[in-house]
Amino acid sequence: MNKAVRKAIIAGNWKMNKTRPEAKELIEAIKPLAKGADCEVVVGVPFTNLETAVEATKGTNIHVGAQNCHFEKSGAFTGEISADMLVELGVEYVILGHSERRQYFGETDETVNKRTKAALAAGLKPIVCVGELLWERECGITEEVLGKQCKLDFFGITADEMKKITIAYEPVWAIGTGKTATAEQAQEACKYIRTVIAKMFDEATAEAVTVQYGGSMNAKNAAELLSKVDVDGGLIGGASLKAPDFGEIIRAASV
Ligand code: 13P
């Protein structure tokens, strides 16, 4: 992290986990661990837990995020939720383009781009996920994949808007596998993403944008990953469901 120019963001992606009472319990357990943290703390909860999370985090330093939003304002899109609907609930962040959405739900760079624009227009802070598959890394095209995703996902976005976006570098092979990228691999990819943003926008925008790492980040490996200058926090799945582990990651980002 380079705290002189950027604020680290530690965001939990709960994925499809926790009922409402369980969500309340987890947030209550996270609250004392997040208190006084020197980083932004976000919980990305399922749609059904948003209201509970917004209520439970009132007056705390914990921010609430959703895990997706649609790009249209309203209409015949069964099962979808608009950005305005999230804002109305008091939601601040939205995770977009997660590899699970790309892999299982047909999300493309084009729809990620549209969703990002809709989220920004509604006043949400998007956390946009990019990352290569294992075979893409093995073929040596990690940089091409990251470059393409950034160019397409952030097409038509202004520099000022880009500064409001958090990019989560999530190598797909590291998600839920227990196989974390090394701190060097994470740094290399996050730095490369910043060079793409510099080319697309300008140096100041690239320096301002938050680039997180995600993929089996946990209480044990967080400090090393976060010690890297271009790794500005984490998007955490499994470990964000356990308050002590999530608390330890928040602590690692706060030193
Ligand atoms: P895990 O931390 O469970 O590997 O998940 C990472 C992730 O997908 C966060 O969005």
Side-chain angles (χ1 to χ4, degrees):
M1 292 172 293
N2 184 349
K3 282 199 180 167
V5 285
R6 296 181 290 272
K7 190 171 184 183
I9 302 181
I10 297 297
N13 175 7
W14 290 12
K15 308 193 180 182
M16 195 174 71
N17 291 292
K18 304 291 175 190
T19 61
R20 282 207 294 181
E22 287 168 352
K24 171 111 175 74
E25 195 184 328
L26 180 53
I27 289 169
E28 290 306 328
I30 293 170
K31 270 190 206 176
L33 306 174
K35 204 171 174 195
D38 187 21
C39 62
E40 183 100 334
V41 179
V42 181
V43 286
V45 307
F47 288 129
T48 50
N49 291 339
L50 287 170
E51 232 176 327
T52 305
V54 168
E55 194 55 41
T57 54
K58 268 196 187 129
T60 75
N61 59 333
I62 303 174
H63 303 261
V64 175
Q67 298 173 15
N68 195 15
C69 73
H70 197 257
F71 43 83
E72 293 293 345
K73 283 185 99 59
S74 63
F77 301 101
T78 303
E80 291 290 327
I81 306 279
S82 75
D84 288 337
M85 290 171 179
L86 298 178
V87 171
E88 196 217 344
L89 287 184
V91 172
E92 280 180 71
Y93 284 84
V94 63
I95 299 167
L96 295 171
H98 191 278
S99 62
E100 285 149 16
R101 298 228 50 95
R102 294 177 191 256
Q103 203 174 341
Y104 306 132
F105 303 102
E107 194 77 67
T108 64
D109 287 310
E110 189 184 358
T111 54
V112 174
N113 177 251
K114 286 165 118 177
R115 288 176 208 267
T116 304
K117 286 175 179 163
L120 287 166
L124 290 169
K125 296 174 192 163
I127 299 177
V128 178
C129 305
V130 297
E132 80 287 0
L133 305 171
L134 182 58
W135 70 271
E136 289 170 331
R137 175 165 282 268
E138 285 171 353
C139 291
I141 61 161
T142 299
E143 291 191 349
E144 282 93 326
V145 172
L146 297 177
K148 183 177 167 216
Q149 287 175 332
C150 287
K151 280 179 198 153
L152 297 177
D153 295 354
F154 306 132
F155 176 77
I157 281 165
T158 67
D160 278 347
E161 287 172 334
M162 192 63 229
K163 291 187 184 113
K164 294 177 191 149
I165 295 174
T166 298
I167 304 172
Y169 167 60
E170 297 209 317
V172 181
W173 49 271
I175 295 176
T177 57
K179 211 175 158 189
T180 319
T182 63
E184 288 68 32
Q185 285 171 325
Q187 163 60 21
E188 198 179 6
C190 291
K191 187 175 177 194
Y192 181 73
I193 288 168
R194 218 179 286 289
T195 63
V196 175
I197 299 301
K199 275 195 202 129
M200 286 180 72
F201 300 92
D202 51 67
E203 204 60 54
T205 305
E207 275 303 306
V209 77
T210 299
V211 186
Q212 300 172 310
Y213 168 78
S216 299
M217 189 185 262
N218 59 39
K220 286 205 177 77
N221 61 27
E224 197 189 348
L225 287 159
L226 296 170
S227 72
K228 296 296 177 187
V229 69
D230 285 293
V231 180
D232 307 321
L235 185 57
I236 300 114
S240 75
L241 297 171
K242 294 174 224 140
D245 295 36
F246 194 55
E248 186 53 34
I249 299 170
I250 293 169
R251 208 193 54 76
S254 299
V255 291

